[in-house]
């Protein structure tokens, strides 16, 4: 996991920093990237990468991936901050967020960020830099303090480009949600998921008009498998002995909004 996260973060950071150095005058930290990549590549030794190394080396690997991730994240943040300073944020009563897409294709994603948005506001309206209304909802912040809440907003972000998101007082002005959660069911425009009390679930494909699992049977049940083997599972050909499964699942709706349920 550390290897994959580091690779992904470094590739994204290099793209953002390269575009930034050419387009808005940010610094490209070549030597920092070189050291981070050398660390990641060194840790791709097969026992290290597979997690089948000594305990002491596992700690070394975690520290190495931490170094690579910190390098990547700092490079991304510094480049995007340089961009952010050059984008006008003209309303002092609004809060602004800049989101950058490092992919070579446009994406439509849920963007999450914590804001202080207290009870003094009548409502909340979210727009992009062109004044287009974006669907959004609120959920609990990553930290419970004061009026801190997490904003979830659905936005389209251009390829290798940015979107400025503006949060201010006003009517949300959103279309009816296609996402909903009720009792033991989750549903959007593509799928309907039903959860049973024994932990199994069924998936109905709305585009094809049929159950995903053969015969409409529930699937994806969490099982406990008997595994007495060592770290490498020497001489083990199959894990076929079920010794338990999850029962009496409690179902609780945590969120139910136009963007996520």
């Amino acid at each position: 996991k550390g290897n994959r996260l580091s690779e992904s973060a470094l590739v994204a950071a290099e793209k953002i920093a390269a575009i930034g150095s050419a387009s808005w005058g940010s610094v490209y930290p070549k030597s920092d990237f070189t050291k981070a990549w050398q660390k990641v590549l060194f840790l791709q030794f097969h026992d290290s990468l597979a997690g089948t190394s000594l305990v002491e080396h596992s700690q070394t690997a975690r520290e190495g991936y931490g170094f690579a991730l910190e390098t990547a994240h700092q490079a991304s943040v510094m480049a995007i901050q340089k961009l952010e300073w050059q984008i006008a944020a003209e309303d002092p009563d609004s809060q602004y967020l800049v989101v950058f897409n490092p992919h070579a294709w446009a994406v439509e994603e849920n963007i999450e960020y914590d804001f202080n948005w207290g009870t003094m506001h009548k409502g909340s309206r979210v727009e992009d830099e062109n004044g287009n209304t974006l669907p959004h909802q609120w959920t609990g912040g990553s930290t419970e303090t004061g009026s801190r809440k997490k904003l979830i907003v659905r936005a389209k972000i251009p390829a290798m480009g940015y979107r400025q998101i503006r949060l201010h007082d006003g009517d949300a002005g959103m279309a009816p949600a296609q996402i909903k959660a009720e009792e033991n069911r989750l549903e959007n425009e593509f799928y309907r998921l039903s959860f049973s009390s024994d932990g199994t679930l069924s998936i109905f494909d709305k585009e094809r008009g049929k159950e995903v699992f053969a015969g409409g049977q529930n699937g994806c049940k969490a099982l406990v498998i008997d595994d007495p083997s060592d770290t490498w599972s020497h001489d083990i050909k199959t894990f076929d002995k079920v010794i338990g499964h999850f029962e009496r699942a409690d179902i609780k709706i945590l969120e139910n909004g136009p963007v996520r349920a």
Side-chain angles (χ1 to χ4, degrees), residues 78-134:
M78 297 304 290
I80 294 175
Q81 277 190 345
K82 183 83 172 183
L83 167 66
E84 186 181 32
W85 296 339
Q86 300 175 39
I87 303 172
E90 299 175 343
D91 181 8
D93 294 325
S94 297
Q95 297 193 53
Y96 293 87
L97 178 67
V98 172
V99 184
F100 191 89
N101 172 21
H103 299 301
W105 55 88
V107 298
E108 183 174 2
E109 292 288 344
N110 286 349
I111 310 301
E112 302 181 20
Y113 197 78
D114 281 15
F115 285 100
N116 284 320
W117 196 252
T119 56
M120 74 289 294
H121 298 286
K122 298 177 182 178
S124 58
R125 187 177 181 88
V126 180
E127 300 173 346
D128 63 18
E129 69 278 5
N130 298 314
N132 299 312
T133 302
L134 303 176

Side-chain angles (χ1 to χ4, degrees), residues 191-235:
Y191 296 104
R192 183 170 63 247
L193 282 69
S194 300
F195 300 88
S196 302
S197 60
D198 65 354
T200 60
L201 64 88
S202 65
I203 302 175
F204 183 79
D205 186 331
K206 296 169 73 172
E207 290 184 311
R208 296 178 180 270
K210 65 179 183 179
E211 290 281 345
V212 171
F213 300 114
Q217 298 178 1
N218 290 342
C220 296
K221 186 171 185 177
L223 303 175
V224 182
I225 305 297
D226 184 32
D227 177 12
S229 64
D230 61 16
T231 304
W232 296 272
S233 297
H234 283 129
D235 300 321

Side-chain angles (χ1 to χ4, degrees), residues 23-209:
S23 299
W24 60 82
S26 64
V27 175
Y28 184 85
K30 180 179 179 180
S31 61
D32 292 342
F33 283 142
T34 298
K35 292 175 184 176
W37 274 116
Q38 287 172 340
K39 181 68 71 174
V40 172
L41 294 172
F42 180 77
L43 290 172
Q44 287 181 346
F45 177 73
H46 65 261
D47 274 332
S48 176
L49 185 61
T52 55
S53 53
L54 296 174
V55 173
E56 292 81 1
H57 179 73
S58 294
Q59 180 61 34
T60 299
R62 285 192 292 270
E63 293 173 356
Y65 291 130
F67 167 75
L69 286 167
E70 171 69 5
T71 300
H73 293 158
Q74 280 296 307
S76 296
V77 167
M78 297 304 290
I80 294 175
Q81 277 190 345
K82 183 83 172 183
L83 167 66
E84 186 181 32
W85 296 339
Q86 300 175 39
I87 303 172
E90 299 175 343
D91 181 8
D93 294 325
S94 297
Q95 297 193 53
Y96 293 87
L97 178 67
V98 172
V99 184
F100 191 89
N101 172 21
H103 299 301
W105 55 88
V107 298
E108 183 174 2
E109 292 288 344
N110 286 349
I111 310 301
E112 302 181 20
Y113 197 78
D114 281 15
F115 285 100
N116 284 320
W117 196 252
T119 56
M120 74 289 294
H121 298 286
K122 298 177 182 178
S124 58
R125 187 177 181 88
V126 180
E127 300 173 346
D128 63 18
E129 69 278 5
N130 298 314
N132 299 312
T133 302
L134 303 176
H136 75 282
Q137 71 190 66
W138 293 95
T139 188
S142 57
T143 301
E144 292 295 328
T145 175
S147 59
R148 184 183 179 93
K149 296 189 290 186
K150 186 181 295 294
L151 175 71
I152 308 173
V153 55
R154 189 77 174 175
K156 295 180 180 179
I157 313 170
M160 292 187 172
Y162 72 88
R163 181 112 287 153
Q164 185 192 54
I165 295 173
R166 176 193 176 203
L167 167 65
H168 61 100
D169 256 324
D171 178 25
M174 294 176 291
Q178 293 181 292
I179 302 169
K180 60 183 176 181
E182 54 187 13
E183 297 180 352
N184 67 330
R185 190 159 60 192
L186 283 174
E187 187 171 353
N188 63 12
E189 64 268 40
F190 303 113
Y191 296 104
R192 183 170 63 247
L193 282 69
S194 300
F195 300 88
S196 302
S197 60
D198 65 354
T200 60
L201 64 88
S202 65
I203 302 175
F204 183 79
D205 186 331
K206 296 169 73 172
E207 290 184 311
R208 296 178 180 270

